[in-house]
Amino acid sequence: MWLTPLLFPAAAMAITLDLSSTQSISSAAGTAAYNMMTYYTGNQTGQVPGLLPGSLSCDPKVTGTYCWWEAGAMWGSLINYWQYTNDSTYNSIVSESIQFQRGPEDNFNPPNQSRSMGVDDQLFWAFSALDAVESNFPEAGGDNPSWLALAQGVYNFQTSLWDTSTCGGGFRWQVYSFNAGYNLKIAIANGGNFQLSARLAYITGNQSYADWAVKVWDWMATSQLFQTEGDMLYIWDSTDSDNNCTNADHLVWTYNYGTVLAGAAYMYNYTNGSSEWESRVQQVLSSTFSLFFPSDYGGNVMTEMECEPKLNCDQDQKSFKAYLSRWLAVTALLVPSTASQIMPKLQASATGAAGQCSGGGDICGEQWYTTTYDGLTGVGEEMSAMSIFGANLISSSMVPLSLRTGATSESDPSAGGTANDTPSSQFQKPITTADKAGAAILTILACTITIGGAWWLVT
């Protein structure tokens, strides 16, 4: 492990954190995990396994509601929590939740989410399945598909979504053309598919996955989503296919950088340390540091710069630092030369997060650069704190597993179904809700449950 002294006095902390003690770090992560899981009701009678409150009609601008994708991301964070701490408290819930939401074609495309299904939404569930593969998280068993097969099912589904009709390629944000935002090609969908492909190449050794990852990277690199100014790489959030992607918004988010960084790190490792991927890792990493670890807060504490200083992050954005935290840790393992740069950032951010966890019951806020509790709490805040604590438990023994180095999840290269422009089930009941951008769209007031291997509609 890489350890440095605390930056803040212990007396300023609500969660006690000693970075020289794995027990202390594990305890801090456990407190945040517990607080996070108080929001989960899917294991209660009459509720839907795997979903957080509001997942069937989410609006990220409404406090207390969480979109489907964030629930999927939460299960991956708990797989990492188990891997880092050996605490199996939540393992059975994690396993049940991922399998329950996998959809009838085993590719994380359940019919009850079709009216707001984004490419990125599927990906975050696939990432959780890959987290399970890379840590040898216990398989669900029985008739359930393996963790690796679920991720391969998403890959197979999404390759047919590659769109060359506009912008020379790329993934649109939404899976289905009737969804608001279908015109956008966004960084998290493209960077996410890049990471998915890179991880599948790393895990399986199959060159076809690596070739696809290169294809996606190359498109991003020539699109408006990537803009280079000197050594700085700007990864803009979205570009519009309606104008053939001739410009992009100028918004930067931690999870876009984390997604691309991790994908590049997997490609670096898969290619046995190629100089090309090493330079790409370093460019994304240094740009991440410049943007999200501002000198105003000491240069080592992670900040969601677009919204956090004004406390106007929505429910989605409050969780973004969780993913950058975990993917920085993974990068330090896959590209060891980066560890000396990354670990001081993870350590100072964890110390800051502990100081911000000063609400009643050690509830965590989001502004890690101040020990004054900001009054905010929720799944995203707790997941981010848990993830940054856990990231400080990494060691060389936790390098992601592949099928060549001990991963045991069974591969199924033909898993999943093929994408088309209509949902896979006729069971659709549209009602009005809001999409991630706050626009009114149709969604489904229905939930599917698995009974005896068949998919049924519950209203």
Side-chain angles (χ1 to χ4, degrees):
M1 295 182 63
W2 302 274
L3 300 171
T4 59
L6 297 179
L7 301 184
F8 301 139
M13 297 181 185
I15 285 183
T16 301
L17 182 65
D18 177 359
L19 288 176
S20 67
S21 167
T22 58
Q23 182 178 358
S24 175
I25 301 171
S26 295
S27 177
T31 297
Y34 175 84
N35 287 338
M36 179 179 73
M37 288 300 287
T38 62
Y39 292 88
Y40 179 62
T41 58
N43 57 344
Q44 298 177 7
T45 301
Q47 299 297 311
V48 182
L51 299 185
L52 286 163
S55 290
L56 289 174
S57 57
C58 79
D59 180 350
K61 297 186 182 302
V62 176
T63 300
T65 65
Y66 301 94
C67 295
W68 180 73
W69 79 271
E70 189 170 345
M74 184 177 79
W75 305 125
S77 75
L78 284 170
I79 289 172
N80 285 150
Y81 168 76
W82 162 78
Q83 179 188 13
Y84 297 157
T85 68
N86 293 316
D87 180 359
S88 61
T89 298
Y90 308 107
N91 283 15
S92 62
I93 297 175
V94 170
S95 184
E96 175 193 42
S97 296
I98 295 175
Q99 292 290 346
F100 199 91
Q101 292 295 321
R102 70 180 190 255
E105 294 181 325
D106 298 339
N107 56 12
F108 297 117
N109 190 30
N112 59 303
Q113 296 295 331
S114 63
R115 290 285 181 171
S116 59
M117 179 58 71
V119 170
D120 54 329
D121 298 345
Q122 285 185 296
L123 286 165
F124 272 89
W125 286 85
F127 293 157
S128 293
L130 290 174
D131 291 333
V133 175
E134 294 169 352
S135 63
N136 273 343
F137 187 77
E139 294 283 349
D143 295 331
N144 294 297
S146 71
W147 304 128
L148 180 53
L150 287 172
Q152 290 170 309
V154 173
Y155 172 87
N156 291 333
F157 180 88
Q158 290 194 347
T159 52
S160 61
L161 295 175
W162 185 257
D163 172 45
T164 57
S165 66
T166 60
C167 314
F171 287 101
R172 293 175 179 267
W173 176 20
Q174 296 295 308
V175 170
Y176 300 114
S177 61
F178 52 72
N179 287 344
Y182 183 74
N183 57 301
L184 299 177
K185 295 192 175 182
I186 66 172
I188 194 59
N190 288 277
N193 185 274
F194 162 67
Q195 186 193 130
L196 170 68
S197 306
R199 291 174 77 171
L200 287 174
Y202 172 89
I203 290 168
T204 68
N206 188 325
Q207 181 63 33
S208 64
Y209 293 129
D211 292 342
W212 186 271
V214 170
K215 176 180 178 177
V216 180
W217 174 279
D218 287 347
W219 180 81
M220 288 190 295
T222 58
S223 77
Q224 292 294 321
L225 293 178
F226 278 15
Q227 179 183 340
T228 301
E229 292 184 2
D231 295 331
M232 174 68 75
L233 174 64
Y234 290 100
I235 303 176
W236 303 127
D237 191 56
S238 68
T239 184
D240 194 340
S241 67
D242 284 350
N243 64 14
N244 204 34
C245 302
T246 55
N247 53 35
D249 65 16
H250 284 179
L251 297 172
V252 290
W253 300 102
T254 53
Y255 80 152
N256 284 331
Y257 281 77
T259 306
V260 172
L261 175 65
Y266 279 98
M267 288 301 293
Y268 167 86
N269 199 286
Y270 174 77
T271 57
N272 297 314
S274 75
S275 58
E276 179 179 48
W277 285 107
E278 183 178 25
S279 66
R280 289 170 175 175
V281 166
Q282 190 57 57
Q283 183 182 34
V284 178
L285 185 63
S286 61
S287 300
T288 299
F289 291 162
S290 295
L291 290 169
F292 303 111
F293 296 82
S295 58
D296 290 352
Y297 307 133
N300 282 327
V301 178
M302 190 188 303
T303 306
E304 197 65 65
M305 59 168 291
E306 295 286 2
C307 61
E308 189 178 295
K310 295 183 179 180
L311 294 177
N312 60 356
C313 300
D314 67 23
Q315 295 295 82
D316 287 349
Q317 295 155 6
K318 291 174 182 177
S319 73
F320 288 175
K321 290 192 295 186
Y323 320 126
L324 179 56
S325 297
R326 290 157 56 200
W327 287 329
L328 280 170
V330 167
T331 298
L333 295 173
L334 292 171
V335 189
S337 63
T338 65
S340 61
Q341 302 169 62
I342 289 172
M343 293 312 300
K345 312 290 187 184
L346 296 182
Q347 292 158 359
S349 295
T351 301
Q356 179 57 218
C357 293
S358 54
D362 293 340
I363 290 173
C364 298
E366 64 178 5
Q367 294 179 321
W368 295 348
Y369 48 82
T370 174
T371 57
T372 301
Y373 176 52
D374 56 29
L376 300 176
T377 190
V379 171
E381 293 92 331
E382 299 294 347
M383 185 180 1
S384 295
M386 179 186 70
S387 297
I388 194 63
F389 296 147
N392 280 273
L393 291 169
I394 63 167
S395 66
S396 58
S397 65
M398 296 178 186
V399 174
L401 296 173
S402 70
L403 296 181
R404 302 178 303 283
T405 60
T408 57
S409 195
E410 186 174 349
S411 177
D412 182 1
S414 63
T418 301
N420 53 53
D421 200 41
T422 57
S424 57
S425 169
Q426 73 271 30
F427 298 126
Q428 304 291 328
K429 283 191 176 182
I431 63 171
T432 299
T433 187
D435 71 359
K436 294 175 183 175
I441 64 171
L442 295 176
T443 190
I444 305 302
L445 185 58
C447 60
T448 50
I449 61 174
T450 307
I451 302 177
W455 289 82
W456 300 81
L457 180 72
V458 178
T459 59

